[in-house]
Amino acid sequence: MIKIIGECSSGDSRIQNKFKMKKNNTFPGWESWKDRNKEGMECSVELVRKGNTITTVTENLGIYIENTTVLNNAPDMVYVALTGDQVALTDIRLLGN
């Protein structure tokens, strides 16, 4: 599980996550970040799979997140779920193969 607030967790020994979170100089502070996200905003998440490695990247108001997931004994198909706590996810667009 990767959270847009800069947290990552995994309790599964079949995967390994390498997680990076950085605040850049455009980060407005947590209160402003939360307020602007509550108002609603567009956010992009990029997921790229190469073999048994999946890289997830997103940036939201100065919070940059990059997670590399290595799947031990990777299956042919990998599924992704987008969810949130007290949010509405709308206008979801998929690009790519």
Side-chain angles (χ1 to χ4, degrees):
M1 177 172 48
I2 304 164
K3 297 180 181 180
I4 202 163
I5 61 171
E7 296 177 3
C8 176
S9 63
S10 171
D12 193 329
S13 62
R14 296 173 293 176
I15 64 171
Q16 298 171 344
N17 281 313
K18 182 178 178 185
F19 184 78
K20 293 184 221 175
M21 189 278 282
K22 296 177 188 173
K23 289 188 273 184
N24 67 32
N25 58 1
T26 62
F27 178 67
W30 286 114
E31 288 306 314
S32 179
W33 185 90
K34 287 190 286 186
D35 290 342
R36 290 193 49 205
N37 275 278
K38 285 179 186 177
E39 292 170 8
M41 59 180 298
E42 188 165 316
C43 178
S44 296
V45 178
E46 178 183 41
L47 293 115
V48 176
R49 181 179 182 183
K50 292 184 181 176
N52 68 334
T53 302
I54 300 169
T55 304
T56 307
V57 176
T58 188
E59 187 167 352
N60 176 294
L61 293 173
I63 298 293
Y64 172 84
I65 296 171
E66 179 180 317
N67 187 76
T68 303
T69 301
V70 178
L71 305 166
N72 302 324
N73 302 316
D76 291 337
M77 297 292 294
V78 175
Y79 297 92
V80 174
L82 300 174
T83 186
D85 181 27
Q86 301 178 24
V87 300
L89 300 175
T90 61
D91 195 22
I92 297 170
R93 292 165 268 164
L94 302 174
L95 307 171
N97 324 16

